[in-house]
Amino acid sequence: MEKKQRKLPDSCGLGPALAVIGGKWKALLLWQIHQAQPCRFGELKRLQPEISEKMLIQHLREMEADGIIHREVFHQVPPRVEYSVTPEGAELDLALAPLAEWGKEHQERTGRAKAGAARAARTAAEGATLG
Amino acid sequence: MEKKQRKLPDSCGLGPALAVIGGKWKALLLWQIHQAQPCRFGELKRLQPEISEKMLIQHLREMEADGIIHREVFHQVPPRVEYSVTPEGAELDLALAPLAEWGKEHQERTGRAKAGAARAARTAAEGATLG
DNA sequence: TAGGTACCTTACTTTTTTGTCTGTACTTGT
DNA sequence: ACAAGTACAGACAAAAAAGTAAGGTACCTA
């Protein structure tokens, strides 16, 4: 197991929380699994083509170890693995909502000049992920 | 300006939020400044001796650029700089609360074996930061 | 003149995180 | 036979974040 982790200072519980959700794609994955439950590995890959396979499984494994998602293997001929969020993961998703809300407001307040062009391009190209 | 940043994928606003608060000590700093407002540089240094001065100003500057803290310079003989949270920063602090709550519960659920000893040691040594 | 305080800045090194690429085992389609 | 699909594993490299150590200003005290 290659888990060295940044080791965040914990006071008030934020450290542990950020350790769990702090990976580059983890929040996104949690949210997507929560949406399309249960979700197969290949499905997640297709939903977020920018994530490399390595990061995808790495994050999935860590999230499983942290108890926020559940992994179920079906011993079939083309292997089949399904991911779903645990109750704990669902709570985390919920706890993340105010932060997401703040983030949205924040990017509206600031990201006009820089994000404007980039966002427009992305939106036109792929149809925007959420809002 | 050396701001390359991890570039989190944004959907639902979590990306921007984590970009703002994702640094190793940022959440802690925000919380501490919020507590002891207004707060001097040296004060923060004393409150969190583990942060190197470099990371301290680097984080403070980034947080200032992100508009969550305010920096005021008094041109005095030993220089004096005071930091305080902006309204936006206060909102972020608030939005962080549920996450912190989740983190606390999470570490209670899990961190018995490993955190137990370490926490006990720290608690005895310095009297615990929050809870 | 040396040392101390407060608030940084800069150069450099280490650690952590993320990405790229190649390979596995097995089956189905052509 | 060979490509394609599924769900990974592992070596290696690049990038980003964090840390270390030294210096710098401006003034004050001993």
Side-chain angles (χ1 to χ4, degrees):
Chain A
M1 292 287 159
E2 32 143 324
K3 253 273 205 167
K4 281 282 162 65
Q5 190 104 40
R6 192 156 59 172
K7 199 188 172 193
L8 300 159
D10 77 321
S11 333
C12 65
L14 267 174
L18 290 175
V20 168
I21 209 65
K24 181 166 176 183
W25 311 90
K26 282 185 184 173
L28 186 57
L29 283 173
L30 180 65
W31 170 72
Q32 275 191 336
I33 295 173
H34 204 191
Q35 301 293 303
Q37 234 175 144
C39 213
R40 298 187 57 178
F41 179 84
E43 224 171 318
L44 290 167
K45 221 172 65 177
R46 271 185 298 276
L47 284 168
Q48 219 58 36
E50 299 205 291
I51 315 183
S52 66
E53 287 194 3
K54 184 207 161 188
M55 286 318 290
L56 188 49
I57 45 164
Q58 190 174 307
H59 277 168
L60 288 170
R61 290 287 155 85
E62 289 175 7
M63 291 164 82
E64 191 198 355
D66 285 328
I68 60 172
I69 62 172
H70 173 71
R71 174 167 175 269
E72 188 158 13
V73 187
F74 298 83
H75 294 286
Q76 296 179 352
V77 177
R80 171 189 186 81
V81 180
E82 284 186 357
Y83 294 92
S84 49
V85 311
T86 61
E88 206 176 332
E91 279 175 39
L92 176 54
D93 206 49
L94 220 68
L96 244 23
L99 190 57
E101 186 58 32
W102 184 91
K104 269 200 299 188
E105 285 169 22
H106 176 74
Q107 81 181 334
E108 275 165 28
R109 263 183 297 242
T110 56
R112 291 268 158 62
K114 50 183 177 184
R119 279 239 289 177
R122 260 190 300 115
T123 305
E126 43 160 328
T129 36
L130 216 155
Chain B
M1 294 284 161
E2 33 143 325
K3 253 271 203 166
K4 280 284 164 58
Q5 189 100 40
R6 194 157 55 171
K7 200 191 171 190
L8 300 160
D10 77 322
S11 334
C12 62
L14 268 174
L18 290 175
V20 168
I21 209 64
K24 180 164 174 184
W25 311 89
K26 284 185 182 173
L28 186 57
L29 284 174
L30 180 65
W31 170 72
Q32 276 190 337
I33 295 173
H34 204 190
Q35 302 292 303
Q37 234 174 144
C39 213
R40 296 187 57 178
F41 179 85
E43 224 172 316
L44 291 168
K45 219 172 66 176
R46 272 185 299 275
L47 283 168
Q48 218 58 37
E50 299 205 289
I51 314 183
S52 65
E53 286 196 3
K54 182 208 160 186
M55 286 317 290
L56 188 48
I57 44 164
Q58 189 175 307
H59 277 168
L60 288 170
R61 289 289 156 84
E62 289 174 7
M63 290 164 82
E64 191 197 356
D66 285 329
I68 61 172
I69 62 172
H70 173 71
R71 176 167 175 267
E72 189 156 12
V73 187
F74 298 83
H75 295 285
Q76 296 180 353
V77 176
R80 172 191 186 79
V81 181
E82 284 186 356
Y83 294 92
S84 50
V85 311
T86 61
E88 206 176 331
E91 280 174 38
L92 176 54
D93 206 49
L94 221 68
L96 244 23
L99 190 57
E101 187 56 34
W102 185 91
K104 270 200 299 190
E105 287 169 21
H106 176 74
Q107 82 181 333
E108 276 165 28
R109 264 184 298 242
T110 55
R112 293 267 157 64
K114 49 183 176 182
R119 279 238 290 177
R122 259 188 302 118
T123 304
E126 44 160 328
T129 36
L130 214 158

